[in-house]
Amino acid sequence: MRIDKWLWCVRLYKTRSLASEACNSGKVLLNNINAKPSKEIKIEDVITVNQNPIKKTIKVIGLLNNRVAAKEITKYYQDLTPKEEYEKQEMMRLAYYEKRDAHTGRPTKRDRRDIERFKENIW
C-alpha cells in the first residue's frame, strides 16, 4: 500500500493530496528515511510524521483499502509518540488561548499589543 494513501486512510491527513505534499516536503519519514508518496509500506514499519508543533511516531499494525471511521483507526496503527510531544502540543494550545470577560468588547490597539508582547515572551 502507498504511504500517502495509508496516511489518509488512518486520518492523519484530511486529504490524500495533503498527505502527498507532506511526503514530498520531507515531513514524513519511513523507518527514518524520507518517504516519497508512492513508497510502499508494510506491517511493522515505523512512520514519523512532523505535524507542527509535534512529531508523531506510528507503527503500522494493519493495511487497509479505504478510509475508516475514527473509532476503528486504532486497529491499524500503534502510537509510539512520547508523552512529552503531546504535552508540548497542549502547552502551545493553552498559550495561544485568550480568555476575555463577557461584554467587554473587542480589545483595543493597546490591549492587542500587550497580548502580542506577552505571547512573544512565552516562546
Side-chain angles (χ1 to χ4, degrees), residues 34-55:
N34 280 341
K36 293 189 176 189
S38 61
K39 183 73 176 168
E40 295 289 323
I41 62 168
K42 57 188 181 298
I43 295 176
E44 300 295 321
D45 279 345
V46 177
I47 299 172
T48 304
V49 179
N50 187 0
Q51 293 179 328
N52 282 337
I54 69 171
K55 281 190 177 182

Side-chain angles (χ1 to χ4, degrees), residues 83-106:
K83 194 178 234 184
E84 294 82 30
E85 292 289 325
Y86 288 115
E87 290 172 357
K88 182 170 43 170
Q89 182 181 27
E90 182 65 18
M91 188 173 67
M92 291 278 289
R93 187 184 69 78
L94 291 175
Y96 283 98
Y97 178 74
E98 298 170 18
K99 173 82 169 100
R100 291 186 52 85
D101 295 328
H103 308 293
T104 56
R106 293 177 52 180

